Amino acid sequence: MKIGEIFRPYISWANGQGDWPDIVFSTRGRFARNVYGFSFPPRASKEKLKELAETAMNAVKKSRLFIKAHCIHMDELDGIEKAFLVERHHISHNLASQVSGAAVVVSSDETMSIMINEEDHLRIQSISSGLSIKRVYENIETMDSQLGRILPYAYSRQFGFLTACPTNAGTGFRISCLVHLPALARTGQMAKVLENLSTLGITARGIYGEGTYVLGDFYQISNATCLGRSEQEFAENLNRVVNNLIRHEIHARENLIKGGAKAKTEDGIFRSLGILKNARMLSYEEFMQHISLVRMGAAMGLDMAIDISSINQLTILMQPAHLQTLAGRKLDQFERDVERAGYLRKKL
Amino acid sequence: MLCHECREKEATIFLKVAVNNKITEMHLCQDCASKKGMPSGFGQSLPISEMFGNISGFVKEFLPKEKKTLRCWSCGLKYSEFKETGKLGCPDCYKSFEPQMTELLARIHGKAVHTGKKYSPKDFPELAHARKKRLLEDLKKELKEAVEREDFETAAKLRDSIKDLEK
Ligand SMILES: [Zn+2]
Ligand SMILES: [Zn+2]
């Protein structure tokens, strides 16, 4: 399979649309569903998993949302192609490591996908740019209702939708926003913010690189539980929390360009732009550190010569598997760092 | 700082997770992070089950104790296996371990009663029929097996289930 020919270098859901795109990178939602009469994937036999994959694919293809969809079986992919799909948020690391019957169906505009035989039989997912909880919820809700009419879901009146891991049982619903919080991080408020969130039934996750900052200052904000409240309540709660974060981040950004802080902030932003424009070698981590500041600069109206949408695209495209797909060949870490810097010099 | 997992290599990934007022911090080297299936890239979420299952031992620490022989009547998963992996075997495990699951779910989610989207295959008659047929076949097969191995307690339960379904 040639994944680079199926998926273009332009990522539709990273186009800077939706509400508050300069702070909310993307919104994602998913339902975990299982089909009655089959064991959960970790315990099912190879034959059963394949039977389920086929049944599920046929059911998905009947939906109008998946016209001209891409059906991809994990056993057709090499390592880079799997990593490519992970980087693009269509599959999880866990799905990438499964073999028998593991597959994904991705809608032609890439805003919807269904993972088959991950930890659960089905993971119905949608992704959209900016803060767009309502749209994402409606997408997966529509698909879920259509599929539920064709496949008998495992459901109990007491526990709701039944999943392999009890942490997903109930609604099977996870809704999350990827938020960019460089100013809160730089004004030292992140620890407090994260701790406050946990009292609201919300989980915040960031992957720290070396040093104190989270990779690119991006945090994944999602509901921590999914049973005992309705899908709408979980969605509204997240919406409230993310709106609050946006307010705090805006306030922190204002403080960064007030008085004496202004020169220091702008200096940092333009230095980062300079590095991205001129470096000859750049690791993904270093790239993220600088693109984060450039992204904030663009949002503040500084002349970055690149808009939020293009910055978003770069954030996806500069990841290792995407870079190798763009280059059309396997690259080791050293070659990737050279390739990345070269690509950025051309783009900026 | 040394990696919390192997205590050999330098930790390069720092993860702070806050769930239900419980904050978990992890310092890992790249190797151990990958071994845990931990994404190191941009915006990749750590599956929450990973966090619970492997990282904090969350599920395990909340699991009610139960005698070793308890197993799922449908897929045969032992309760003790579930305690090891944090993963259930099939939808019927929820019924087989009902009292335990009620307690566990309440501890994880704060509540153990679903109030979200309703679903009933009865709303889709063809589906309900197919499901019932399939279930009956499975149950009869299991009943035969239970009788063969002289597990009369399970056999009695299975007979009840079959009777319920055939009503
Ligand atoms: Zn280690
Ligand atoms: Zn079971």
Side-chain angles (χ1 to χ4, degrees):
Chain A
M1 178 155 303
K2 282 268 180 286
I3 210 92
E5 286 168 16
I6 303 176
F7 298 106
R8 309 272 93 203
Y10 182 79
I11 300 114
S12 64
W13 50 263
N15 60 2
Q17 303 292 305
D19 292 340
W20 299 104
D22 47 351
I23 294 175
V24 183
F25 187 97
S26 61
T27 301
R28 274 192 279 173
R30 67 109 163 115
F31 281 131
R33 296 291 185 255
N34 287 281
V35 180
Y36 200 83
F38 290 85
S39 290
F40 296 136
R43 207 176 159 77
S45 69
K46 265 188 195 171
E47 293 70 38
K48 279 283 195 184
L49 288 173
K50 285 193 178 137
E51 183 191 333
L52 185 109
E54 201 167 310
T55 314
M57 282 232 184
N58 289 333
V60 173
K61 279 186 208 153
K62 283 186 188 145
S63 169
R64 293 168 103 203
L65 295 168
F66 282 83
I67 290 172
K68 288 190 195 159
H70 311 294
C71 299
I72 303 164
H73 293 269
M74 285 308 114
D75 55 12
E76 294 167 355
L77 304 180
D78 64 27
I80 291 178
E81 291 175 317
K82 285 183 194 172
F84 179 97
L85 289 178
V86 172
E87 289 177 0
R88 221 158 162 110
H89 297 326
H90 292 324
I91 68 169
S92 63
H93 281 272
N94 187 23
L95 189 81
S97 65
Q98 311 292 323
V99 192
S100 297
V104 66
V105 188
V106 183
S107 70
S108 56
D109 66 355
E110 294 191 53
T111 59
M112 293 205 68
S113 57
I114 297 184
M115 284 196 283
I116 300 173
N117 288 330
E118 208 248 23
E119 182 183 289
D120 295 303
H121 295 142
L122 302 169
R123 291 281 175 96
I124 303 167
Q125 323 179 99
S126 177
I127 186 163
S128 185
S129 174
L131 177 60
S132 35
I133 292 175
K134 192 161 172 271
R135 172 195 290 206
V136 161
Y137 174 70
E138 281 167 1
N139 279 347
I140 56 173
E141 163 58 31
T142 307
M143 194 57 210
D144 181 48
S145 296
Q146 290 180 3
L147 278 180
R149 253 172 256 139
I150 308 175
L151 304 169
Y153 285 156
Y155 175 88
S156 101
R157 273 229 297 268
Q158 185 186 355
F159 300 137
F161 294 92
L162 306 174
T163 53
C165 184
T167 52
N168 295 317
T171 59
F173 180 50
R174 187 86 51 206
I175 180 92
S176 68
C177 286
L178 187 63
V179 292
H180 184 219
L181 306 173
L184 278 175
R186 268 159 197 78
T187 50
Q189 299 175 71
M190 236 19 253
K192 212 180 81 202
V193 167
L194 289 184
E195 263 156 59
N196 282 342
L197 287 183
S198 61
T199 63
L200 302 168
I202 293 289
T203 300
R205 279 165 275 171
I207 306 293
Y208 284 70
E210 272 162 287
T212 31
Y213 296 137
V214 125
L215 190 68
D217 304 302
F218 283 100
Y219 294 82
Q220 181 99 26
I221 312 291
S222 65
N223 53 317
T225 63
C226 57
L227 176 71
R229 288 203 269 171
S230 71
E231 294 80 359
Q232 289 84 351
E233 286 172 302
F234 286 120
E236 277 160 26
N237 188 40
L238 185 81
N239 192 41
R240 225 175 1 252
V241 166
V242 170
N243 271 297
N244 249 320
L245 280 174
I246 291 170
R247 255 211 339 267
H248 284 306
E249 172 67 16
I250 289 175
H251 187 69
R253 288 186 189 186
E254 282 165 0
N255 283 334
L256 284 179
I257 42 167
K258 242 196 241 160
K262 187 171 192 272
K264 202 174 154 225
T265 303
E266 291 191 357
D267 183 60
I269 291 172
F270 281 97
R271 274 170 191 267
S272 283
L273 183 63
I275 288 172
L276 294 182
K277 271 183 171 169
N278 294 295
R280 262 44 185 178
M281 282 182 69
L282 263 182
S283 69
Y284 185 65
E285 210 169 44
E286 196 183 356
F287 160 76
M288 285 300 279
Q289 185 190 326
H290 296 300
I291 200 80
S292 171
L293 280 171
V294 169
R295 199 175 190 280
M296 180 167 74
M300 285 170 163
L302 299 174
D303 181 17
M304 296 287 107
I306 181 169
D307 59 9
I308 294 279
S309 171
S310 311
I311 291 170
N312 287 356
Q313 299 291 328
L314 284 179
T315 317
I316 305 284
L317 294 178
M318 290 300 97
Q319 298 177 97
H322 270 78
L323 205 59
Q324 294 175 75
T325 307
L326 281 174
R329 63 194 175 93
K330 208 167 157 33
L331 305 168
D332 64 24
Q333 173 137 27
F334 178 89
E335 292 170 318
R336 286 204 298 272
D337 292 356
V338 173
E339 182 81 16
R340 187 176 288 116
Y343 188 90
L344 288 167
R345 282 205 307 283
K346 263 189 279 164
K347 278 276 158 183
L348 300 166
Chain B
M1 184 178 291
L2 282 182
C3 167
H4 281 180
E5 192 75 10
C6 62
R7 310 208 173 267
E8 277 171 19
K9 279 167 258 173
E10 192 66 17
T12 56
I13 292 183
F14 174 50
L15 177 84
K16 184 166 181 167
V17 183
V19 182
N20 297 349
N21 303 330
K22 193 181 151 120
I23 293 176
T24 308
E25 283 190 16
M26 300 256 359
H27 299 262
L28 298 172
C29 69
Q30 185 61 59
D31 290 352
C32 291
S34 324
K35 253 183 244 153
K36 281 187 175 292
M38 181 123 59
S40 50
F42 154 76
Q44 281 156 22
S45 57
L46 183 64
I48 245 171
S49 53
E50 285 288 315
M51 238 158 59
F52 287 130
N54 302 341
I55 296 182
S56 65
F58 195 79
V59 166
K60 218 181 270 185
E61 135 193 353
F62 280 173
L63 275 176
K65 285 206 173 47
E66 208 40 66
K67 52 179 195 243
K68 282 207 177 76
T69 50
L70 188 63
R71 26 159 95 225
C72 171
W73 57 264
S74 175
C75 72
L77 181 86
K78 289 190 201 126
Y79 186 72
S80 56
E81 290 174 84
F82 169 54
K83 288 185 86 160
E84 269 317 300
T85 61
K87 303 278 156 67
L88 292 159
C90 78
D92 293 318
C93 288
Y94 282 85
K95 257 231 126 43
S96 303
F97 310 142
E98 193 173 325
Q100 292 79 16
M101 292 312 292
T102 308
E103 189 175 338
L104 177 64
L105 289 168
R107 293 179 117 163
I108 296 174
H109 298 276
K111 288 173 191 165
V113 180
H114 176 61
T115 56
K117 191 173 177 176
K118 297 268 182 292
Y119 180 80
S120 166
K122 284 200 202 85
D123 301 340
F124 317 113
E126 274 168 52
L127 242 181
H129 182 73
R131 170 178 163 161
K132 199 167 148 183
K133 206 175 132 208
R134 176 162 207 145
L135 186 59
L136 269 173
E137 279 167 16
D138 288 354
L139 286 174
K140 283 179 182 162
K141 195 172 135 233
E142 273 160 42
L143 174 63
K144 198 171 149 237
E145 285 166 6
V147 172
E148 272 165 15
R149 63 168 191 269
E150 297 183 9
D151 179 354
F152 299 114
E153 199 184 326
T154 309
K157 276 188 201 162
L158 286 166
R159 251 182 228 113
D160 284 347
S161 306
I162 292 171
K163 240 187 255 160
D164 284 348
L165 267 173
E166 283 178 333
K167 258 179 210 164

